[in-house]
């Protein structure tokens, strides 16, 4: 079984700042680092580090071969990644002294897909394989359609949330992973528990996972609700923690873990990721995650 992850590849420009810049303020950063990121690339790397066979479907600017090489070195199958003219997607990321971030995205190559390319990239996917998506590329609706035609299982992480997500056939998701902002927007309810209940009624066949940051995560499926507390750690940088969670949660399911165990392992992986700076550089290996099991 293979995961075809259709997702963004970003060049992350990470600025360490004493606080997130305010409207009208000019603020000097202490440091600037350029690292591999993008919710898609991060989730592919998380899946690969969790020892899942993952093929990334994406695009990157010709000047950024180094980013593709880093994904490959992490164990991601890069046959679905094309190098194209023009800029890669990139992200301007501020990280403050508490490890919180704010992110500006430029889509670049992540916004250059058409149906023909996507059909071709998914032509080797077989019934029972998985397709994973986030919301930083164009063509998400097309991939939903192709996935259903090819009888693929669908996992979706609608991040960042946009109005267009509401038009997608979300009832066809086997796994839907949302944070509180995304859950509220989809359910039109500000309360996390209420939002989860609304989504569970709307999508009864979907494993719903709600990430709660420092409060852990919840799962609702087949009439059962699970809650998992976050692991307390010293936060350096939260960038990529959600992506680490998504990759490890899906990996757990595919590796036959129970929902409870997959949720627990994903929370431990996400906790490890916030102790290290950067998006993909912070994603732990399975051995690292397993070594925290009895802590
Ligand atoms: O989820 C973190 C990611 O969001 C960063 O790597 C950045 O590229 C943005 O896509």
């Amino acid at each position: 079984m293979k995961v075809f992850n259709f997702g963004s590849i970003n060049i992350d420009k990470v600025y360490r700042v004493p606080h997130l810049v305010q409207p009208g303020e000019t603020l000097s950063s202490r440091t600037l680092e350029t690292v591999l990121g993008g919710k898609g690339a991060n989730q592919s790397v998380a899946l690969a580090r969790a020892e899942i066979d993952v093929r990334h479907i994406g695009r990157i600017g010709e000047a950024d071969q180094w980013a593709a090489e880093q994904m490959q070195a992490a164990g991601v199958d890069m046959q679905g990644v094309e190098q194209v003219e023009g800029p890669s997607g990139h992200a301007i990321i501020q990280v403050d002294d508490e490890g919180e971030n704010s992110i500006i995205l430029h889509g670049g190559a992540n916004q250059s897909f058409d149906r023909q390319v996507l059909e071709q990239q998914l032509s080797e996917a077989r019934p029972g394989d998985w397709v994973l998506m986030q919301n930083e590329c164009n063509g998400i609706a097309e991939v939903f359609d192709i996935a259903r035609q090819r009888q693929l299982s669908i996992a979706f992480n609608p991040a960042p949330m946009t109005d267009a997500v509401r038009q997608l056939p979300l009832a066809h998701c086997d796994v839907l992973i949302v944070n509180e902002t995304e859950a509220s927007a989809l359910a039109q309810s500000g309360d996390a528990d209420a939002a989860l209940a609304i989504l569970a009624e709307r999508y009864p066949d979907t494993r719903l996972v709600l990430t709660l940051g420092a409060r852990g995560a919840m799962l609702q499926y087949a009439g059962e609700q699970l809650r998992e507390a976050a692991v307390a750690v010293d936060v350096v940088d939260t960038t990529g923690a959600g992506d680490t969670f998504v990759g490890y949660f899906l990996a757990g399911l595919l590796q036959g873990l129970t929902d409870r165990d997959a949720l627990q392992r994903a929370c431990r992986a996400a906790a490890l990721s916030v102790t290290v700076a950067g998006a993909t550089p912070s994603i732990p290996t399975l051995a690292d995650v397993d070594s925290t099991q009895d802590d």
Side-chain angles (χ1 to χ4, degrees):
M1 186 192 305
K2 197 173 182 88
V3 178
F4 291 78
N5 180 17
F6 169 50
S8 58
I9 304 172
N10 286 341
I11 308 305
D12 285 358
K13 299 270 185 190
V14 187
Y15 300 83
R16 289 300 307 206
V17 288
H19 58 264
L20 303 183
V21 71
Q22 301 298 300
E25 182 181 19
T26 300
L27 185 63
S28 290
S29 69
R30 298 196 185 108
T31 58
L32 165 61
E33 283 188 79
T34 301
V35 299
L36 168 64
K39 296 184 195 303
N42 299 340
Q43 292 181 22
S44 277
V45 169
L47 282 159
R49 290 193 176 145
E51 301 181 4
I52 288 290
D53 183 6
V54 54
R55 175 175 296 181
H56 195 90
I57 297 174
R59 286 185 160 182
I60 194 168
E62 282 166 345
D64 297 311
Q65 170 70 15
W66 64 269
E69 284 166 6
Q70 285 192 6
M71 290 176 71
Q72 187 151 31
V76 178
D77 171 352
M78 297 295 282
Q79 281 186 60
V81 175
E82 296 172 319
Q83 301 213 341
V84 294
E85 280 181 22
S88 300
H90 74 257
I92 306 288
I93 304 180
Q94 303 173 55
V95 181
D96 72 12
D97 285 345
E98 275 69 55
E100 266 311 328
N101 65 37
S102 79
I103 303 179
I104 297 173
L105 286 177
H106 175 75
N110 299 320
Q111 293 289 323
S112 67
F113 295 93
D114 61 39
R115 184 169 181 120
Q116 199 185 349
V117 165
L118 295 168
E119 272 179 349
Q120 195 267 322
Q121 292 289 12
L122 283 163
S123 61
E124 287 179 31
R126 299 283 169 262
D129 284 339
W130 282 74
V131 69
L132 168 65
M133 292 172 275
Q134 313 75 34
N135 195 30
E136 289 187 337
C137 293
N138 75 312
I140 302 294
E142 286 80 358
V143 173
F144 262 90
D145 197 33
I146 298 164
R148 285 166 62 194
Q149 281 176 6
R150 301 191 74 83
Q151 299 171 51
L152 309 179
S153 299
I154 298 174
F156 186 40
N157 170 220
M161 186 67 191
T162 56
D163 286 344
V165 169
R166 272 192 281 272
Q167 311 309 320
L168 295 169
L170 299 182
H172 293 285
C173 291
D174 296 277
V175 175
L176 181 65
I177 303 177
V178 290
N179 65 17
E180 289 176 274
T181 309
E182 292 143 13
S184 297
L186 281 177
Q188 311 271 281
S189 166
D191 175 76
D193 288 84
L196 195 57
I198 291 166
L199 296 178
E201 198 174 320
R202 196 185 296 165
Y203 310 125
D205 299 327
T206 302
R207 248 186 195 81
L208 290 166
V209 181
L210 174 62
T211 59
L212 302 164
R215 290 181 289 118
M218 294 168 71
L219 181 146
Q220 176 94 37
Y221 183 56
E224 187 185 27
Q225 188 176 92
L226 304 174
R227 280 173 194 262
E228 184 63 31
V231 181
V233 287
D234 291 331
V235 177
V236 173
D237 181 359
T238 55
T239 313
D243 301 325
T244 303
F245 180 97
V246 171
Y248 267 88
F249 178 76
L250 185 59
L253 279 190
L254 270 55
Q255 288 161 338
L257 299 192
T258 62
D259 285 346
R260 164 72 70 195
D261 287 347
L263 203 61
Q264 274 180 356
R265 197 177 73 178
C267 284
R268 283 188 281 112
L272 277 180
S273 80
V274 303
T275 65
V276 178
T280 50
S282 72
I283 299 170
T285 62
L286 187 56
D288 288 336
V289 177
D290 283 346
S291 73
T292 65
Q293 196 151 16
D294 297 318
D295 287 0

